[in-house]
Amino acid sequence: MPQLELSPELDFQSETYKDAYSRINAIVIEGEQEAYENYQQLADMMADSKDELLKLAKMENRHKKGFQACGRNLDVSPDMDFAKEFFSSLHQNFQTAAAEGKIVTCLLIQSLIIECFAIAAYNIYIPVADDFARKITEGVVKDEYLHLNFGEEWLKANFETAKAELEDANRQNLPIVWRMLNQVETDAHVLAMEKEALVEDFMISYGEALNNIGFNTREIMRMSAYGLTAA
Ligand code: PL3
Ligand code: FE2
Ligand code: FE2
């Protein structure tokens, strides 16, 4: 008996796997599409960083194509209606903030929350992915650290004026992330990704980001657990 095997072999061709993958794959494709549009909108709002933001947007579009290929490789059609609904609250909040010219809120939603969510998900997916998807995801996650870094650097440079808006935006948007995690828990489990690990990795990346931006430990604890128990 193989004693070192921690989880049974995944069958990437089974109907159960492919059914869960049709939603998870769609979520990731939609997430990359949202990110692509969000960086384009940010480029219009931040004249000084326009070129850099357009570069980030292009990367997101490549990520989307990569994950579309992962779905095709497993012969899965992504359930995009499900994924659009999954992202609708964050989408709405980003659009509202953008319409009000709230750069800080937009950066928190896209460059901190969505990127940390992606980094956690991709890092947990890599060891349990099929070979094709693993190579794609490894390339993608490297880029996501750059995107997170863009948000960190800008918010750090503007910390004093951004602080109150960041706390406010965190309060409005972090509970949405916990709800999203609950919605994906069952499907993620089929792919051998556990919710506890996703929460833990998200908390680590998000907490480190808040620390780099200038928040102290007490503030980070309060902010990163916001809405967690109510989720
Ligand atoms: C930003 O560059 C990308 C945004 C994507 C967000 C993805 C969130 C995914 C959460 C679902 C957990 C399963 C991940 C599986 C990876 C293929
Ligand atoms: Fe991406
Ligand atoms: Fe990204």
Side-chain angles (χ1 to χ4, degrees), residues 31-32 35 59-60 63-64 67 115 118 122 140 143-144 147:
E32 298 293 355
M59 293 162 110
E60 303 295 19
H63 296 170
K64 182 182 82 170
F67 288 123
E115 299 295 357
Y122 298 166
V140 169
D143 290 344
E144 308 302 9
H147 304 174

Side-chain angles (χ1 to χ4, degrees), residues 9 126 137 164 181 183 196 222:
E9 253 337 272
I126 284 167
T137 310
L181 270 170
Q183 283 170 26
E196 290 69 31
R222 184 164 39 77

Side-chain angles (χ1 to χ4, degrees), residues 24 27-28 31-32 35 60 114-115 117-118 121-122 125 144 193:
I24 300 276
I27 285 170
V28 172
E32 298 293 355
E60 303 295 19
I114 296 183
E115 299 295 357
F117 196 17
Y122 298 166
Y125 177 56
E144 308 302 9
M193 302 169 64

Side-chain angles (χ1 to χ4, degrees), residues 27 82 85-93 113 117 170-186 195 198-199 202 225-231:
I27 285 170
F82 172 85
E85 177 64 28
F86 181 81
F87 267 101
S88 59
S89 300
L90 279 188
H91 176 90
Q92 190 52 51
N93 285 359
I113 287 187
F117 196 17
N170 175 79
R171 180 179 290 262
Q172 283 177 26
N173 290 285
L174 205 60
I176 296 173
V177 173
W178 305 132
R179 279 205 293 280
M180 289 165 86
L181 270 170
N182 285 344
Q183 283 170 26
V184 85
E185 178 177 8
T186 311
K195 183 188 163 191
L198 287 163
V199 170
F202 176 86
Y226 197 84
L228 182 58
T229 48

Side-chain angles (χ1 to χ4, degrees), residues 19-29 82 184 187-188 191 193:
D19 176 60
Y21 205 82
S22 72
R23 286 177 294 279
I24 300 276
N25 183 231
I27 285 170
V28 172
I29 292 167
F82 172 85
V184 85
D187 287 327
L191 273 54
M193 302 169 64

